[in-house]
Amino acid sequence: MLMFKRNLIPFYILSLVFFVFALYQSYKWKWICDDAYISFVYARNLYEGSGLVFNLGERVEGYTNFLWTLILSLGYFLKLKPQFLSLFLGIFFYLMTLFVFFYEENRISFGKIYPLLLVHLALFFHFYIFATSGLETSLFTFLVSFGFLLWEKKSDFLFLIFFLSALVRPEGALFLSLASLDWMIRKRRWKPVLFGFLFLGFLCFRFFYYDDIFPNTFYAKGNKGAYFSQGFYYLLYFLKSYPLYLFVLILSGIQIYKTFLDRKEYRFLFSSVVLYILYVLYVGGDFMGIRFWIPILPYLSYLAFRQIHEWDMDSQIESRKNSLYFRFYSKNQVLVAFLFILSTAVYIDPLKVKETRIPDWHGIVEERMFYEDHLIRTSGYDTDALSEFRVAFFGAQAHFIYYLRPSFAFEAESGLTDREFAKKKVGTRGRIGHEGELDPNDLVTRNIEILLDNRLPSMSLPNIQYTWRNIPIRFYVRVYDPNKFKSLCVRSDWNCDDLFLQFKLNHWDTNKVRVF
């Protein structure tokens, strides 16, 4: 409680106001992206006893968030659907991230009227966006941010936090490894070895269960070689979105540089931040705007805040008041704080050009603007309608797989759920995670019967129409089996007139199997 007495009452009142504001905004912008439904399928299959698999009997690690998927699976035991649980946990961990930095700000500052860092973080638009989404971003950001702060405090608890982060996303292993190396070199402590063995145990599980130490998503998205050109655009997209955040990056860079020179014990910590940035640039970032930057942004903002705080303290020291620099800073102290707040408050949508929205910028999109909140609702699906079919799906269609539940589903855009397709080399780099080069043989070898979209113009396929929430959608038929289609086509949400018209015009027998 002594910590909460450091600042003035308005500090805590304004803190509460901005916590409520952040809660409101994250709930207002709540959404679920289609990629999340891949994890939802794994979570449901695990709960139902089929194992941590996407297609029954086929072990492929098509998710990148092991611990997140386990948590969603446990939700089924509590009768909590992943659509609800992912939103609740996402917002919770977003607020927890704000809280740990509020705690640090209150601990560091003294006699402040308003919470500068908290206001700065609570106004960050993309923090609202990725507080939800159904993905693990919010949880991973909390663990990484908390781990950095524990690293500063030299707390052994950081190894548990970074171990959990490594279970949430593979990039967490970077922080766990460097923190462990730091402890063993500087402190001669061997506690990190325990968590090293635990992580090794996790890798052994992955190898024996999936026959690979890397998740399949590594091959689908990250094993295409260096993509620095796209990484540059990914960084530029962030700076176009938040042009004033360059001020924060400069301040945090000053703080990192000074600490590198003066405090050797922080060198591994800041090296991990720099290596993460280089990693994101190397892989080309992500197709979702800013998502891969989110985990380190709160800590970078915290470093910038700490630099401002140091200047505040130095400008009050009697011996430094005569310095030209600190006299200038003292006169512009409020302006610096205001610019720090504006660095997140000023958001410019890079996809809005001349009052219209373009679909993407160098392959980078704002998924929330595309999906809005449509995939949160669980109604409007013909549940289990494709339970007898083998299906290929693309892009924004994983939610159909979750509800229509085909007997086999092939993610045919990047190969997230298919070991062989994920490892196919690509001739030309494109949008991250959407670079797979599908050919007809991929469909033949997997005995695909229905395509949820036709990405092969060379194939002329008849279509059937599925009505989803009063929206007619065309699915394409590659293999016609009369026993399966005649039972599907009588369902109220399905229209097979075009398919049977093709049979009539070509004098084909509707009672025989036909491959198109």
Side-chain angles (χ1 to χ4, degrees):
M1 293 304 298
L2 290 175
M3 189 278 293
F4 284 97
K5 294 180 181 180
R6 294 180 62 86
N7 289 300
L8 302 177
I9 292 178
F11 180 94
Y12 300 107
I13 294 176
L14 285 171
S15 296
L16 179 60
V17 168
F18 277 94
F19 269 111
V20 173
F21 177 76
L23 172 61
Y24 167 75
Q25 290 288 359
S26 58
Y27 182 79
K28 172 187 173 183
W29 291 97
K30 65 185 184 298
W31 68 297
I32 292 178
C33 72
D34 194 74
D35 281 8
Y37 273 89
I38 291 179
S39 294
F40 293 177
V41 171
Y42 277 93
R44 181 180 62 191
N45 285 341
L46 179 61
Y47 165 73
E48 292 179 348
S50 301
L52 206 50
V53 298
F54 192 80
N55 293 307
L56 303 190
E58 184 180 76
R59 294 185 177 183
V60 180
E61 189 178 1
Y63 54 87
T64 322
N65 44 24
F66 173 77
L67 183 58
W68 181 249
T69 301
L70 284 187
I71 294 171
L72 296 179
S73 182
L74 292 174
Y76 280 101
F77 289 96
L78 303 174
K79 308 301 180 184
L80 297 175
K81 293 184 177 179
Q83 293 86 341
F84 167 79
L85 185 58
S86 64
L87 298 182
F88 171 79
L89 291 178
I91 293 175
F92 171 76
F93 285 112
Y94 164 56
L95 294 177
M96 286 297 296
T97 302
L98 293 184
F99 179 79
V100 295
F101 284 107
F102 158 77
Y103 182 92
E104 285 304 303
E105 177 176 13
N106 192 41
R107 185 184 64 83
I108 292 172
S109 62
F110 183 80
K112 292 290 185 179
I113 297 176
Y114 62 93
L116 178 61
L117 178 59
L118 178 62
V119 173
H120 166 91
L121 294 176
L123 293 177
F124 215 132
F125 177 69
H126 273 80
F127 284 5
Y128 312 146
I129 298 300
F130 288 106
T132 54
S133 83
L135 296 172
E136 73 292 337
T137 307
S138 181
L139 170 58
F140 186 63
T141 301
F142 165 72
L143 292 172
V144 170
S145 299
F146 193 26
F148 284 153
L149 295 176
L150 291 172
W151 201 340
E152 285 190 359
K153 299 176 189 299
K154 304 177 179 61
S155 170
D156 289 346
F157 190 57
L158 77 92
F159 296 109
L160 173 61
I161 297 301
F162 279 151
F163 172 69
L164 294 176
S165 76
L167 297 185
V168 172
R169 283 197 64 84
E171 297 91 331
L174 167 67
F175 305 116
L176 177 63
S177 300
L178 287 178
S180 300
L181 188 62
D182 181 26
W183 245 243
M184 288 188 288
I185 291 177
R186 281 196 308 109
K187 296 193 171 189
R188 306 292 183 181
R189 293 184 186 175
W190 298 98
K191 192 171 184 178
V193 174
L194 169 62
F195 289 93
F197 275 114
L198 289 175
F199 187 68
L200 180 62
F202 169 67
L203 294 181
C204 289
F205 158 77
R206 175 180 279 160
F207 179 78
F208 288 112
Y209 196 82
Y210 292 114
D211 199 29
D212 204 323
I213 63 170
F214 296 109
N216 197 56
T217 49
F218 167 75
Y219 302 104
K221 294 183 177 181
N223 192 35
K224 311 298 183 185
Y227 204 3
F228 281 110
S229 60
Q230 181 64 20
F232 169 76
Y233 284 120
Y234 196 65
L235 177 60
L236 190 58
Y237 183 90
F238 171 61
L239 295 177
K240 283 169 67 72
S241 302
Y242 298 94
L244 296 182
Y245 200 81
L246 184 61
F247 173 68
V248 175
L249 295 179
I250 292 172
L251 293 187
S252 59
I254 293 172
Q255 183 71 198
I256 290 174
Y257 175 73
K258 287 169 53 180
T259 308
F260 250 100
L261 293 179
D262 302 332
R263 306 187 66 176
K264 294 182 179 180
E265 67 269 22
Y266 287 150
R267 289 184 177 180
F268 275 93
L269 165 57
F270 291 147
S271 294
S272 71
V273 177
V274 174
L275 285 175
Y276 179 84
I277 293 172
L278 291 176
Y279 159 77
V280 174
L281 295 175
Y282 173 84
V283 300
D286 185 43
F287 67 92
M288 294 190 201
I290 305 178
R291 182 169 78 104
F292 273 20
W293 297 125
I294 294 290
I296 61 169
L297 289 179
Y299 186 68
L300 290 177
S301 292
Y302 165 73
L303 292 178
F305 161 77
R306 211 164 67 187
Q307 182 60 52
I308 293 174
H309 175 69
E310 287 182 10
W311 283 339
D312 287 346
M313 295 296 101
D314 289 344
S315 65
Q316 296 176 28
I317 297 175
E318 194 66 31
S319 62
R320 299 190 179 185
K321 286 185 177 180
N322 293 327
S323 165
L324 178 63
Y325 174 79
F326 284 112
R327 277 189 289 157
F328 175 80
Y329 177 77
S330 297
K331 293 179 180 179
N332 295 278
Q333 195 170 0
V334 174
L335 180 62
V336 171
F338 188 56
L339 183 58
F340 183 67
I341 291 174
L342 285 180
S343 64
T344 54
V346 175
Y347 165 65
I348 300 173
D349 187 350
L351 302 184
K352 191 172 183 179
V353 180
K354 296 180 180 179
E355 303 304 321
T356 61
R357 286 188 62 82
I358 57 177
D360 70 283
W361 186 78
H362 292 279
I364 305 169
V365 300
E366 289 295 332
E367 291 278 277
R368 170 60 176 79
M369 306 310 170
F370 174 76
Y371 289 109
E372 297 182 340
D373 61 351
H374 297 308
L375 300 190
I376 294 176
R377 290 180 285 149
T378 60
S379 61
Y381 293 90
D382 189 9
T383 306
D384 297 340
L386 297 180
S387 60
E388 297 182 350
F389 292 88
R390 298 175 67 86
V391 170
F393 69 101
F394 308 83
Q397 297 172 332
H399 62 110
F400 289 126
I401 303 304
Y402 179 83
Y403 290 103
L404 303 184
R405 298 192 73 164
S407 61
F408 175 87
F410 166 45
E411 197 282 297
E413 193 159 51
S414 60
L416 289 177
T417 64
D418 190 280
R419 193 187 311 277
E420 300 304 319
F421 191 77
K423 293 180 180 179
K424 284 182 67 174
K425 299 298 181 182
V426 295
T428 305
R429 297 304 305 265
R431 179 191 291 184
I432 299 294
H434 298 73
E435 300 171 288
E437 297 178 353
L438 183 69
D439 61 60
N441 190 55
D442 293 319
L443 304 176
V444 173
T445 57
R446 292 162 180 83
N447 194 26
I448 298 301
E449 298 167 293
I450 294 177
L451 290 78
L452 301 196
D453 193 6
N454 187 2
R455 302 289 179 90
L456 294 168
S458 61
M459 296 183 67
S460 179
L461 302 176
N463 68 81
I464 58 177
Q465 183 174 287
Y466 168 57
T467 302
W468 172 64
R469 297 177 182 169
N470 298 319
I471 302 172
I473 301 173
R474 288 182 176 182
F475 293 164
Y476 295 85
V477 179
R478 196 192 76 84
V479 178
Y480 170 80
D481 184 326
N483 295 324
K484 296 179 181 179
F485 274 88
K486 287 182 180 179
S487 60
L488 175 68
C489 293
V490 297
R491 300 175 78 109
S492 59
D493 291 332
W494 300 81
N495 185 325
C496 300
D497 290 348
D498 181 78
L499 173 64
F500 290 122
L501 178 62
Q502 293 277 352
F503 273 81
K504 183 177 180 180
L505 292 175
N506 290 281
H507 306 290
W508 295 330
D509 189 347
T510 59
N511 294 313
K512 293 183 178 180
V513 174
R514 183 165 194 86
V515 179
F516 296 97

